[in-house]
Each structure stands twice: as C-alpha cells, then as structure tokens.
Amino acid sequence: MAQIIDGKAVSAAIKEQVRDEIAHSGISAGLAVVIVGNDPASRVYVNNKKKACEFCGIKSFEYALPEETTMKELLELIDTLNNDKNVNGILVQLPLPKQLDEKAVIERISPQKDVDAFHETNVGKIMIGNYSFLPCTPAGCMELIHSTGISVSGKECVVIGRSNIVGKPMAMLLLHENGTVTVCHSRTKNLAEVCRRADILVAAVGKPNFVTADMVKEGAVVIDVGINRLENGKLCGDVKFDEVSEKAGWITPVPGGVGPMTIAVLMKNTLTAAKIQK
C-alpha cells in the first residue's frame, strides 16, 4: 500500500517559511490577481489565493473585471500594474473569456512580475536552468517528490501530458535534477508500457481516472496533477487512486495533493519577485 504524500502539510510548511521571512525581513510584497468574468472554479482559486496572501503577510490586490472586458482594457490594466511599485507579482487567472488573447495577455506582464512563470522570457530561463521563478504547479510537484526523500537523479521519470503550463516545464525540472525523462501525449504508442518503466510518474492529462494500476511500476512515486469533477459532483484526479495506491510506493491524493502546492509556490514566487525588485 502506497504512502500518501500530504500536499496540505508540505504547502503549509512553505507558507510558514514565506510568512516568517516576510515578518523578520520587513520586506513588503504585493500580489495583484486579475479575474475576468465569473467562472466559478476561477473564483474559488482567487479566493484561496487571497486567503494565502493574508496568512503570509502579502498584500493582495484583486481586480474583478466583467465578462465583456475588451483586450484594450485588460492590457491597459496590466500596464498600470507593471508600473505600480506596490505590486510585485501579477497573475491573470486563466481561462479568459473567448474574446481575449491569452498569449498576448501573458506576454504583456513584465517578466519580473510574472509569478506564474508563463512569459516567454521566463520559459526560456527555465529551459537553460537560469531562472528566478518556476511555474507554480510543476514546482509544487517537485516539492512533493522531495518530501518523499527519494532522489530524482538517475531515475526513470515519465510525464503524461505536454501542456506549456504543466507537462513541458515539469519535464525540464526533472531533467535539471538528472532524471531520465520521457514525455507522453495523445500520439504516444504503447503508453501503458512506457508508464510502467517510470520510477516517478507525473499524470497531467486532464482525464478522470486515466492512469490505472496496470500502467504503474511496483513502488513508483505517482504525482497526480489532474483535478476533475465527476457527474456525481465528486472530485477525482487523473489517477485511479484506489487501485494505483495498492501498487505505488508513494501517491498524491485528490484533493489535498498537488492543489495546495500551487498556491504555496505562488506565495514563494511573490516573495522572490519582491526581493528581486527591491
């Protein structure tokens, strides 16, 4: 039976570190969160970010814009926040309404304030290993892997999913720690066979219960990035938890695994941004 990797405990420790550093250093840090429209999941995330800021001693600025906001209005707001000395980090909550160009919005955020690390400049820095911030979800996954005490170096690592937000940066972070990394996607042949080689398996595919026990190596570390809502309203991950937990060595639950880590790393990134800008 797998040991559960407790994302709530690991994230609480990171937030406490951030809170202590802010309290003892006297650094002032501010995070601006922009939300466009009224997507219920986005609203939950934004409220959780606000609570985390309050806990850590980070000033929180929220900009809730109507669904029909134009590209011009959103870019003007980002320009204002880029020039605001009280704002160290800017986060535009995705997804955006259809009339807005996500790529152009991300590129407008100053790379120094891009605490999501989605800007091309920051993506390039992650590629070469010379970065200030890491994308929150992949960095959170790495913290969870570290919490098991298992070294990535020399391990077979498989990432399922190649999104710019999770899959690709996740592969780079594992590579920076000397993992041997395979990235799987919708065109991968013999997916189950490839996954079974993994000492460390990261599922970021966005399909409920996609990873089954026959895809997992005995004793593997399994990190489940997925968060899916079933028809009965229950949350589940990309990994079929009940059967995979019988076979894996370590596994993250959903909820309570990767989710809390994303916000904890965001707090860490905001503090880092404040230190760089000061």
Side-chain angles (χ1 to χ4, degrees):
M1 187 73 183
Q3 294 194 57
I4 304 296
I5 305 173
D6 186 349
K8 286 182 184 169
V10 180
S11 71
I14 292 171
K15 286 188 290 191
E16 274 167 25
Q17 280 168 0
V18 172
R19 181 176 69 173
D20 291 349
E21 189 170 342
I22 287 173
H24 293 125
S25 65
I27 284 175
S28 167
L31 174 67
V33 177
V34 180
I35 178 171
V36 185
N38 39 25
D39 178 68
S42 291
R43 174 40 67 195
V44 170
Y45 285 134
V46 169
N47 290 348
N48 288 342
K49 283 165 188 167
K50 217 190 254 180
K51 278 184 208 148
C53 283
E54 206 174 301
F55 176 84
C56 293
I58 291 172
K59 290 194 197 85
S60 170
F61 308 99
E62 186 189 303
Y63 297 85
L65 307 180
E67 186 82 28
E68 59 279 5
T69 297
T70 64
M71 199 62 191
K72 183 172 180 286
E73 289 165 334
L74 182 52
L75 294 179
E76 279 172 1
L77 171 61
I78 292 171
D79 290 343
T80 303
L81 297 175
N82 280 337
N83 294 316
D84 186 338
K85 289 200 162 47
N86 295 314
V87 172
N88 305 109
I90 301 169
L91 184 147
V92 177
Q93 184 66 46
L94 304 178
L96 290 169
K98 287 189 173 54
Q99 78 275 15
L100 302 172
D101 177 352
E102 282 185 7
K103 190 173 181 291
V105 168
I106 289 165
E107 288 310 302
R108 194 64 162 250
I109 297 169
S110 158
Q112 280 202 318
K113 295 190 176 188
D114 167 41
V115 285
D116 256 336
F118 292 164
H119 191 285
E120 283 175 2
T121 300
N122 289 326
V123 172
K125 286 181 164 190
I126 291 158
M127 188 78 186
I128 60 173
N130 173 31
Y131 45 78
S132 304
F133 323 112
L134 291 172
C136 300
T137 302
C141 292
M142 292 305 289
E143 295 279 1
L144 293 175
I145 293 166
H146 296 154
S147 77
T148 66
I150 288 166
S151 167
V152 173
S153 185
K155 298 291 190 300
E156 284 266 0
C157 307
V158 173
V159 179
I160 314 174
R162 56 174 165 182
S163 72
N164 292 333
I165 291 174
V166 182
K168 289 179 192 169
M170 188 73 227
M172 289 314 304
L173 299 191
L174 290 163
L175 199 54
H176 288 323
E177 292 197 15
N178 304 315
T180 300
V181 185
T182 305
V183 179
C184 296
H185 44 78
S186 57
R187 305 286 171 88
T188 300
K189 290 178 177 154
N190 308 322
L191 178 67
E193 199 180 301
V194 177
C195 292
R196 272 196 299 275
R197 296 204 303 259
D199 302 304
I200 297 169
L201 179 64
V202 181
V205 70
K207 291 182 179 175
N209 299 320
F210 180 79
V211 176
T212 49
D214 64 326
M215 296 167 73
V216 177
K217 182 180 184 175
E218 196 80 45
V221 176
V222 179
I223 306 290
D224 188 351
V225 181
I227 184 147
N228 311 290
R229 198 171 286 282
L230 298 171
E231 282 174 9
N232 62 10
K234 276 192 172 175
L235 287 178
C236 81
D238 291 350
V239 175
K240 204 162 189 182
F241 184 86
D242 292 348
E243 61 174 63
V244 172
S245 59
E246 295 289 328
K247 200 171 177 187
W250 297 84
I251 191 168
T252 59
V254 176
V258 174
M261 296 303 298
T262 300
I263 291 177
V265 175
L266 175 66
M267 299 299 110
K268 198 174 167 179
N269 284 353
T270 303
L271 172 58
T272 302
K275 288 195 283 194
I276 291 167
Q277 289 158 41
K278 299 285 185 288

